[in-house]
Amino acid sequence: MIGRAALVGGLLAGLTTARIGSVSATPGSSGWLVATAAGDGSAGNGVAAPSASFNSPDQVTVDVSGNVLIADTADNTVRVIATTSGTFYGTSMAAGEIYTLVGTGLSGYVKANGIPATHGGLYDPQGVDVDSDGNVLISDSEDDLVRMVATTSGTFYGRAMVAGDIYAIAGDGTGGYSGDGGKAISAELSSPAQLAVDGEGNVLIPDSGNARVRVLALTTGTFYGTAMTAGDIYTVAGNGTAGYSGNGAKATSAELDDPLSAVVDASGNLVISDAGNVRVRVVAETTGTFYGRAMNAGDIYAVAGNGKAGYSGDGGKATSAGLDDPTGGTSVDPSGNLVINDSNNYRVRVVAESTGRFYNRTMTAGDIYTIAGDGALGSSGDGGPAKSAELGRTDSTSFDGNRNLIVDDGDNVRVVAVTSGAFYGQAMTAGDIYTIAGNDTEGFSGDGGAAPSAELDAPEGITSDAHGDIFVADDGNLRVRMIPASTSTFFGQAMMAGDIYTIAGDGSEGSSGDGGPATSAELEDVAGVALDGSGNLVVTDEGAWQVKVVAASTGTFYGQAMTAGDIYLIAGNGLLGYSGIGGPATTAEIGCPLGTVVDPRGNVVFSDSCNERIMVVADANGTFYGQAMTAGDLYSIAGDGTGGYSGDGGPATSAELNEPALMTMDAAGNLVFADGRNNRIRVVAVTTGTYYGQAMTAGDIYSVAGTGAAGYTGNGRLATKAELDHPDDVVIDEAGNLVLTDAHNNVVRVVANRTGSYYGQAMKKGDIYLLAGTGSYGWAGDGGPPASAELANPDGITAVAQADRGTGSAIYVGDLANSRLRLVS
């Protein structure tokens, strides 16, 4: 929404002086500058690893230089902790600091091959490993791909690669099962989990959704008893049926249930974390005795777990022990013992491969022992015995070159020292535990203090009200936060101008709390925020498949009695689907609500990305968007439910959309939205007239920016002839210009509403121009000209009027991967 100049002047002055701090850079000739408005960026790059924030890190591994690689799953990145200073993966790194190696922070979207790894989108990366050539392998779980970042240029896994770029090496991106015995990149996978590279360089892929373990052959030969061709994929365990059967028989005839990791031990046996069966199982490479039992080559055996979730059995036979959710996988230590992440028991346990002394205790072959964790959920115990420390859910383990055990412990990465010495910049004693990365905060701090000093985590949707108050969907923190323009009481809280406050979400993932205080409620995945005419906050909770409202004052809204500061459901029954259209919105099924806006008549409009539609919750009885509507009911106003591109110039409800994202309303009441994967900005006309240089008919849909091709061209030319790359949000500034986040180009761009001078540039009606960002993914430029600043996947955006009216609004941008809110002013 557009703020009033007189009311927002104080906010801009406060943020740019008292709150942001002094700016020493010389302004550009235009007088426009970029600054950080909120967020200290501490989730990010080049910071001391123990101070970094993670969001559900999963597998960890160690490369040939001793650097620690982490699949930071919910942040959709792979990150690296440098153990020594030097140049790794093409980046100059300082010892003890953390860097993003792969991923944009956005989920999926950029699956292209042959682009820089930091520009490639990952979606829930659960696994990472390094092959013998130093290439980084990633299980891109929700994209149903295994991908690779080449460290040197060459041919790997059957395809030519350029150093530093990312490529798919297994999976065609379609979830399913197909392709055994053929090219891995043509096969279907289903949620590949924690992968590994065996001694021959083959990639072991736990194809968890298919209840199989599969192998991508590096070279032609016979492996796991099967003749394989380089670049092809093969099943080596599991028959595709989720269950538990087959012990002592051929592994490919056995049932598995949610296999989440696979590694090879010192004898060449395949070790599988069969999570759904609460067991660890082994496929014998040769006939012999392993882990205290006789095995035949090619057959499968349980080596740990009795199949019942619980904790028992330490010091006895591993197959009689109770495990609880060994989803974090299993690794093999330098002595050949199996190391198990007993996740829900908050312990790390060992199954001895042979009788001997390991981890400062005597162990018997085939028995199980706890080596870290006291069973209590927490993060205490640093610098003391590992067995007495509290752990979180341990998701992965690995070993460094000094034989120390590295544990992914919730939102920390910790080391159990096996030998005494100085490691990771700390003096360590054998048997003790130490944190080497992660601050256990998930990037959340600063409530009640200056906004630029606060931690954010993946700020997505942003909006502002008529007073210049800023609202941020702090998605990674599962909260909505507010930066007030003036000191007063908002949503039942006393607030100070320029400080930051949580107004919804308690940081826990879930959907509870409706009808009670919003700050005590759970949220799943906060995607968009908007304000209605009464000042209530509308929140799209994408992960819960619901739309909710936080009441600004006590009264009746959307047919419900509401109390100031409390949260209420207004759309979605919590089930993913598409049903109930034309009936009560709270009992309808929706999917992936992203952007939201409240139209001038009080109706709540949101993009239902999974259903490829734009939906409306009617505020009152009447005819809206060409349809008769009943208050509180749900209706579709754009999109036919098919993902694609069609329909421009015709009825919006017959058009194809492709992941519609965030949206806004223009001064004429037309709906303007980012049609993400179509790389376009589109408009649904509410009334017949000429808008954005085009004649439009009420109820029809039109493209106003983007050719549909993913790219970056066209500045200074007609917007419909320009290339965009996954636009995520759009806002209308006070002059009526369209301002959009061109996310994968790392820029903010403007489409001029009329010919004139805006943001220090001469602009022509209907043409597109660069406003902020160099196009390089990074963080730089605070205090300088916006076009010289670096952004990293800019996402949400809002415009606030400023004193010098008519030359452009103050633009707030959610600089997603930098965990900052930035201001162009």
Side-chain angles (χ1 to χ4, degrees), residues 41 86 122 182 209-210 220 230 274 290 361 445 482-483 518 535 631 705 758 763 774:
L122 304 177
N210 286 319
T220 298
D274 193 3
F290 310 102
R361 66 186 301 175
S445 71
M482 177 181 178
I483 306 169
Y758 311 103
M763 297 188 182
T774 64

Side-chain angles (χ1 to χ4, degrees), residues 59-418:
Q59 191 172 6
V60 294
T61 194
V62 180
D63 68 15
V64 293
S65 300
N67 304 310
V68 179
L69 280 73
I70 306 158
D72 195 1
T73 306
D75 277 332
N76 299 303
T77 57
V78 173
R79 302 167 78 184
V80 58
I81 304 168
T83 55
T84 57
S85 296
T87 299
F88 308 103
Y89 308 104
T91 300
S92 177
M93 299 185 182
E97 293 187 354
I98 192 165
Y99 302 84
T100 295
L101 176 62
V102 189
T104 65
L106 295 175
S107 57
Y109 301 136
V110 185
K111 302 179 188 177
N113 292 308
I115 62 173
T118 51
H119 293 182
L122 304 177
Y123 193 178
D124 198 29
Q126 293 189 10
V128 61
D129 203 2
V130 179
D131 69 14
S132 57
D133 293 305
N135 303 310
V136 179
L137 308 176
I138 305 131
S139 58
D140 192 1
S141 183
E142 288 297 314
D143 284 329
D144 300 305
L145 296 169
V146 175
R147 303 170 80 184
M148 185 187 117
V149 180
T151 55
T152 57
S153 297
T155 300
F156 309 99
Y157 306 101
R159 70 183 308 165
M161 301 187 185
V162 175
D165 287 356
I166 190 168
Y167 301 85
I169 59 172
D172 66 359
T174 303
Y177 173 71
S178 69
D180 261 14
K183 291 295 179 187
I185 55 174
S186 300
E188 291 177 340
L189 305 176
S190 181
S191 300
Q194 293 187 11
L195 47 77
V197 180
D198 69 16
E200 304 293 335
N202 305 308
V203 183
L204 303 173
I205 306 170
D207 195 1
S208 63
N210 286 319
R212 289 176 164 93
V213 176
R214 301 169 83 179
V215 169
L216 164 58
L218 175 66
T219 58
T220 298
T222 299
F223 311 104
Y224 308 100
T226 301
M228 299 187 183
T229 301
D232 288 359
I233 194 168
Y234 304 84
T235 293
V236 293
N239 64 9
T241 300
Y244 180 68
S245 70
N247 274 329
K250 288 294 179 187
T252 50
S253 300
E255 292 176 341
L256 305 176
D257 190 354
D258 202 18
L260 291 182
S261 77
V263 295
V264 173
D265 69 13
S267 300
N269 304 311
L270 179 64
V271 184
I272 302 165
S273 175
D274 193 3
N277 287 317
V278 204
R279 290 177 166 95
V280 176
R281 300 169 82 180
V282 166
V283 180
E285 171 67 6
T286 57
T287 298
T289 300
F290 310 102
Y291 309 104
R293 67 180 304 168
M295 300 186 183
N296 293 321
D299 290 354
I300 192 169
Y301 302 85
V303 295
N306 60 16
K308 298 177 182 178
Y311 174 70
S312 65
D314 259 17
K317 287 295 179 187
T319 50
S320 300
L323 306 176
D324 194 351
D325 200 19
T327 55
T330 302
S331 60
V332 180
D333 73 14
S335 299
N337 305 306
L338 299 186
V339 181
I340 302 169
N341 293 284
D342 197 357
S343 299
N344 276 356
N345 284 322
Y346 312 117
R347 291 175 166 93
V348 178
R349 302 170 82 180
V350 166
V351 179
E353 202 283 327
S354 58
T355 298
R357 190 164 182 82
F358 312 104
Y359 305 97
N360 292 326
R361 66 186 301 175
T362 300
M363 299 186 180
T364 301
D367 287 359
I368 192 168
Y369 305 85
T370 293
I371 60 168
D374 65 359
L377 173 64
S379 59
S380 68
D382 267 13
K387 289 200 306 177
S388 302
E390 294 178 345
L391 302 178
R393 281 183 53 87
T394 55
D395 285 319
S396 177
T397 53
S398 186
F399 287 84
D400 66 15
N402 295 299
R403 302 171 67 93
N404 299 311
L405 174 65
I406 301 171
V407 181
D408 165 18
D409 169 26
D411 292 301
N412 295 319
V413 177
R414 303 171 85 179
V415 164
V416 176
V418 177

Side-chain angles (χ1 to χ4, degrees), residues 731-753:
V731 70
I732 311 296
D733 71 10
E734 61 185 314
N737 304 310
L738 300 184
V739 187
L740 61 105
T741 54
D742 194 355
H744 291 169
N745 284 321
N746 303 301
V747 295
V748 177
R749 301 169 84 177
V750 175
V751 180
N753 182 45

Side-chain angles (χ1 to χ4, degrees), residues 25-76:
T26 301
S29 58
S30 70
W32 286 82
L33 299 173
V34 67
T36 295
D40 65 356
S42 61
N45 254 355
V47 299
S51 300
S53 298
F54 295 94
N55 198 351
S56 301
D58 206 319
Q59 191 172 6
V60 294
T61 194
V62 180
D63 68 15
V64 293
S65 300
N67 304 310
V68 179
L69 280 73
I70 306 158
D72 195 1
T73 306
D75 277 332
N76 299 303

